[in-house]
Each structure stands twice: as C-alpha cells, then as structure tokens.
Amino acid sequence: MMTEQQKIHPVVDVEAPPPTAPLVNSRSARSEKGDPELKQYAPPQRNIPVYHSKPPKKKRGCCCRCICWTISLIILLIIIIAAAAGILYAVFQPKLPKYSIDRLRITNFQLNTDASLFARFTVRITTSNPNEKIGIYYEDGSNLSVFYTGTKLCEGRLPQFYQGHQNTTILDVALKGQTPNASDLLSALATEQQTTGSIPLDLRVKVPVKIKLGMLKLWKIKFMVKCDLVVDNLSASSSISIKTSDCKFSLRPF
C-alpha cells in the first residue's frame, strides 16, 4: 500500500501538433443558423459597397417639352390668324377711307385785352368710304384741332354718324379756342402773311370708329388723320383760299 495518495495529472506532450478546428462549409453554416458552434467557426463576411445609379433629371425634360408646346401653339395661332385675315381680305377687299379739307372759314380771330387770341373756325371735311361691303360707325369722343407752328389755335369734334358702303359724307365742323399770351404769335402770323403770302396750318383728327363687316360689328379702333394746309391768310374779314391740302390716314388700336 502506498502511504500517500498520489494525484495523477495528465502529461501534456509538447511535441504533439496543435488541435485543428473542423472545416466548416460556409454555405452549410449559413443554412444552419441555429447551431452556435457553426456560427463560431463561420468565416467573416466582407462588406461589399453597393453603388446606386442616380435617376435621370426630369426637370430639364419637362421644361423643354413645355417650351416646345408653347412655341407650337404660338405658331399654330399665327397660322390661324393669318388664314382668317387672308379669308376676310379676299371676301371684303378692304380699302382705306379718304379725307380732304375743302374749305376753311374764319368767323373770329382777334387779340383780346388780356393778350389772349380768340379764334373761331369752320372747317369743311369730305370723307369717302370706297368699300363695297364695309361700313364705318363714327363714335363719340373725337377731336379735331388746328395748329400753327405747334401752337393750338382752336379745336372741335366730329358728329356721330354711320357711313355706309361707297358713301361720301361732307361735314362742316365748328372749331373754337383761346390761346394765352399770343401777342408774339399774332405778330409772326402777320409777318409771314406779308412776306410769303402763305400760312402753313396743321389739322389733326382723332376719331374712334367701329368697322362693320357684313352683319358683324367689330371692336373699336381709332382713325388718325393729319392734314397739312397752306392758306393765303387768316383774316376774319376776307375769304380764305386753300393753296395746298395733303391729308394722311392711319389706324391705331383704341
């Protein structure tokens, strides 16, 4: 018998090779997620960056489409207006009205005590509408003025009337006005009459009208008439002769 119990300890062989871990299939390790031992020996996963492609910019495409549509609509509108204007011109064959100043009569033209010039004229205007299918409505709000070297001498207005197809109308329009501080103006008039025997006057007419095409009455527009006159004198006691008269006509939106 042994007097003392001897403890037997395992002897470690230092020359033995180290234990190797069992090979684990990565696919089987991923499939068997419930086994902690397999998870322990699963190889580490690499984080692979994911690249996302940017969606194409749609704003520029929408703007280009809007611009193209707008330009197309404008071109289409211009074509429609041009076609309508061509049809109207072919059907109605419009012609510009004609105007002339046939007579100028002065009933008062004198210098007042306050150096103001009082003038009262009567102007005869002949207006012709040469159109066969177009009528003209002369509306309220017209103005007729007579100027000498940019200074207004007198003014009046045309009456309201309708001028039918191929119609000629004669109008006697009364004008009156008062020009302050007109002593120098009257002296210049007298000097020009004595030296040249001619006095240039500028007559301007502005009248709102409506055009009638067949049974259709269009919107309001403005007739502009500018007449350059040359008369022999501006005396109220003698007859006045119109040496030259040149009238120009134009249209303007109201």
Side-chain angles (χ1 to χ4, degrees), residues 91-239:
V91 172
F92 294 98
Q93 298 179 355
K95 300 176 183 178
L96 294 177
K98 298 178 181 180
Y99 299 88
S100 64
I101 306 299
D102 300 328
R103 189 175 71 178
L104 175 64
R105 185 164 59 92
I106 299 178
T107 57
N108 199 336
F109 196 75
Q110 63 180 5
L111 192 67
N112 297 326
T113 56
D114 59 353
S116 63
L117 177 64
F118 181 77
R120 189 185 295 270
F121 292 7
T122 300
V123 179
R124 174 166 292 181
I125 302 175
T126 301
T127 170
S128 300
N129 177 19
N131 296 281
E132 298 179 0
K133 301 178 181 179
I134 299 176
I136 303 173
Y137 288 93
Y138 286 80
E139 302 286 331
D140 188 23
S142 63
N143 179 266
L144 191 154
S145 303
V146 176
F147 294 84
Y148 170 72
T149 62
T151 302
K152 184 187 293 185
L153 300 178
C154 53
E155 63 181 352
R157 61 176 56 192
L158 300 178
Q160 291 180 254
F161 68 99
Y162 171 72
Q163 190 173 32
H165 309 154
Q166 295 182 323
N167 175 265
T168 298
T169 304
I170 298 175
L171 304 172
D172 287 327
V173 184
L175 313 174
K176 65 178 181 178
Q178 189 167 355
T179 306
N181 302 320
S183 299
D184 295 340
L185 177 66
L186 196 61
S187 299
L189 277 170
T191 301
E192 188 163 16
Q193 180 176 343
Q194 292 176 359
T195 56
T196 63
S198 300
I199 298 176
L201 297 177
D202 182 14
L203 189 145
R204 302 175 188 175
V205 181
K206 301 177 183 178
V207 52
V209 301
K210 287 185 177 180
I211 304 300
K212 185 179 180 183
L213 301 177
M215 300 300 296
L216 180 63
K217 192 175 182 180
L218 301 182
W219 54 88
K220 188 180 292 187
I221 57 175
K222 184 181 290 186
F223 280 5
M224 307 286 293
V225 183
K226 185 178 182 300
C227 297
D228 295 327
L229 303 178
V230 177
V231 298
D232 59 346
N233 70 86
L234 288 180
S235 176
S237 59
S238 61
S239 61

